[in-house]
Amino acid sequence: MKTRRGEQLRTWKRLTLGSEDFARLPDELDRRICLMMGAAATALRTSYYAGYSSYSDSDRKFGGGEIAVEARPVLLPLLFQSGRFLVRRWQGSTAPTPLAWDDGPLWQLSLALRPAARSSTTLELELRRGDQRRAIDDQVVVLLGPPTYVLIDDKLS
């Protein structure tokens, strides 16, 4: 497939792994991540009627997709540890920045009263974590959940 300018497009082929493939992955962290994601995907497919399913074990492949809410607190730190989560700061940027996982306490969204001009006050949203305070601005990205995540200074928490 080519673009209008005749440039070759990169096409991504979906990779589907079975449980027998996980052991052959060369990186230990990749094996752990894939096993956990495969287990989470299997748990999502399992129900009271799973014993009556027409699927065989060879049909149970993991090919990616959404990470279950219950699995995110365990899987996201491992995925970020792999160093494969990158962000481009602005459109046209050529060098992506790696993101890290922030395993500190959770940020709390709160309201703050701030002094303003002429003896008035403003009501603003801010994030709080212990003694830390962060204004909600263009340097903070809030990813609504469940659960809700906050991206600050190239760290997701």
Side-chain angles (χ1 to χ4, degrees):
M1 190 180 291
K2 297 193 180 228
T3 66
R4 290 181 193 174
R5 290 185 246 168
E7 300 166 344
Q8 186 67 34
L9 282 177
R10 289 187 204 168
T11 56
W12 296 93
K13 184 177 177 183
R14 185 177 179 137
L15 176 63
T16 304
L17 298 173
S19 56
E20 68 279 357
D21 299 316
F22 296 157
R24 291 189 296 229
L25 293 171
D27 185 73
E28 171 64 25
L29 182 58
D30 288 342
R31 285 193 298 273
R32 287 179 54 209
I33 290 169
C34 286
L35 285 168
M36 292 177 82
M37 289 182 79
T42 300
L44 286 175
R45 288 190 303 264
T46 303
S47 70
Y48 176 76
Y49 297 103
Y52 301 103
S53 172
S54 62
Y55 294 106
S56 68
D57 285 340
S58 63
D59 294 330
R60 297 182 190 273
K61 302 283 188 185
F62 174 73
E66 184 175 339
I67 298 172
V69 172
E70 298 81 10
R72 290 176 190 167
V74 176
L75 278 170
L76 284 176
L78 290 175
L79 289 166
F80 276 82
Q81 188 180 342
S82 74
R84 293 191 184 103
F85 278 85
L86 306 171
V87 65
R88 282 193 166 78
R89 285 280 167 216
W90 54 87
Q91 189 173 2
S93 172
T94 57
T97 304
L99 294 177
W101 181 256
D102 179 356
D103 56 1
L106 296 176
W107 289 92
Q108 302 292 321
L109 187 62
S110 63
L111 295 171
L113 289 172
R114 303 240 194 275
R118 298 188 209 163
S119 69
S120 64
T121 58
T122 60
L123 183 63
E124 298 176 359
L125 280 174
E126 72 177 9
L127 293 169
R128 293 182 183 182
R129 179 166 74 174
D131 294 336
Q132 299 176 321
R133 305 283 187 265
R134 291 297 298 251
I136 303 292
D137 59 15
D138 60 349
Q139 298 299 311
V140 173
V141 177
V142 178
L143 307 169
L144 297 177
T148 297
Y149 294 98
V150 178
L151 180 62
I152 300 175
D153 301 328
D154 299 331
K155 292 182 181 175
L156 189 73
S157 59

